[in-house]
């Protein structure tokens, strides 16, 4: 029995020694595989020809009640709405790319966490999506967004890993 415990402990020590580089690398890989295209596609739906020309889709996604009230006429957008849509769209393009290449990765992951929860607030208050709750044996919006947040927190805490521009540039 002692030999079995010793083998187990030795194996787990080797696994633990890889976590410093493996965990952030896998977290970035999972983000890229699961969420990169989701956010990229969402961002492309928000532009109408150029980043400075928001689409009716952007208006409807970010300000659903206001867009519906003016029948999605983008000329009715306020200056504030245009600014929010512009910066939201830029964030949706830039933050995932920064995570992909591993540049300013901790900051990008922190920005994505903020983006996820603003997105969640918009989904609940603007689109009427039910938030749900944790520990209720049902997969809901809350469960999904908490998982996304956890994935991004792994990156905030551990950094980008060895396959990144952060490592190449010696950024923490």
């Amino acid at each position: 029995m002692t030999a079995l415990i010793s083998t187990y402990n030795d194996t787990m020590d080797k696994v633990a020694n890889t976590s410093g580089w493996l965990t952030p690398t896998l977290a970035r890989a999972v983000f890229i595989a699961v969420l990169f295209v989701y956010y990229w596609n969402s961002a492309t739906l928000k532009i109408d020809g150029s980043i400075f020309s928001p689409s009716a889709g952007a208006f409807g996604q970010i300000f659903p009640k206001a867009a519906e009230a003016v029948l999605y006429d983008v000329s009715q957008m306020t200056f504030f709405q245009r600014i929010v849509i512009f910066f939201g769209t830029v964030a949706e393009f830039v933050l995932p790319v920064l995570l992909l290449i591993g540049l300013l990765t901790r900051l990008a992951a922190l920005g994505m966490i903020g983006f996820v929860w603003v997105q969640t607030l918009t989904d609940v208050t603007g689109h009427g999506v039910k938030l749900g709750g944790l520990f209720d044996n049902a997969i809901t919006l809350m469960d999904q967004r908490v998982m996304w947040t956890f994935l991004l927190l792994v990156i905030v805490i551990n950094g980008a890993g060895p396959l990144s521009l952060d490592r190449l540039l010696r950024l923490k």
Side-chain angles (χ1 to χ4, degrees):
M1 187 63 162
T2 304
L4 183 61
I5 292 171
S6 179
T7 301
Y8 173 81
N9 285 340
D10 289 344
T11 303
M12 291 305 109
D13 283 344
K14 289 176 184 170
V15 169
N17 289 336
T18 66
S19 71
W21 66 268
L22 185 60
T23 303
T25 302
L26 289 177
R28 282 184 45 234
V30 169
F31 173 84
I32 292 160
V34 176
L35 294 173
F36 183 84
V37 173
Y38 167 84
Y39 279 108
W40 191 267
N41 288 339
S42 178
T44 59
L45 291 173
K46 290 182 175 73
I47 58 174
D48 192 17
S50 90
I51 193 80
F52 300 106
S53 180
S55 70
F59 194 19
Q61 282 181 4
I62 298 175
F63 295 103
K65 292 178 181 175
E68 189 175 314
V70 297
L71 303 174
Y72 299 91
D73 178 4
V74 294
S75 69
Q76 300 294 316
M77 278 191 275
T78 66
F79 178 74
F80 172 76
Q81 290 167 335
R82 286 183 182 279
I83 292 296
V84 169
I85 290 169
F86 174 76
F87 283 111
T89 304
V90 168
E92 236 174 351
F93 277 122
V94 172
L95 294 174
V97 168
L98 289 174
L99 286 165
L100 173 70
I101 64 175
L103 179 62
L104 303 172
T105 313
R106 291 175 193 238
L107 187 60
L110 198 57
M112 282 302 305
I113 291 170
F115 193 94
V116 164
W117 287 102
V118 168
Q119 173 188 4
T120 302
L121 182 65
T122 302
D123 287 343
V124 171
T125 61
H127 296 286
V129 177
K130 299 290 182 222
L131 185 59
L134 297 173
F135 312 112
D136 62 359
N137 205 25
I139 304 300
T140 61
L141 187 67
M142 175 67 89
D143 300 297
Q144 178 189 69
R145 302 299 165 80
V146 167
M147 289 292 286
W148 294 4
T149 301
F150 178 76
L151 174 68
L152 292 162
L153 275 174
V154 168
I155 297 168
V156 169
I157 293 165
N158 293 307
L163 303 174
S164 66
L165 288 177
D166 284 352
R167 182 65 56 94
L168 186 66
L169 298 172
R170 301 189 196 296
L171 298 174
K172 298 254 180 201

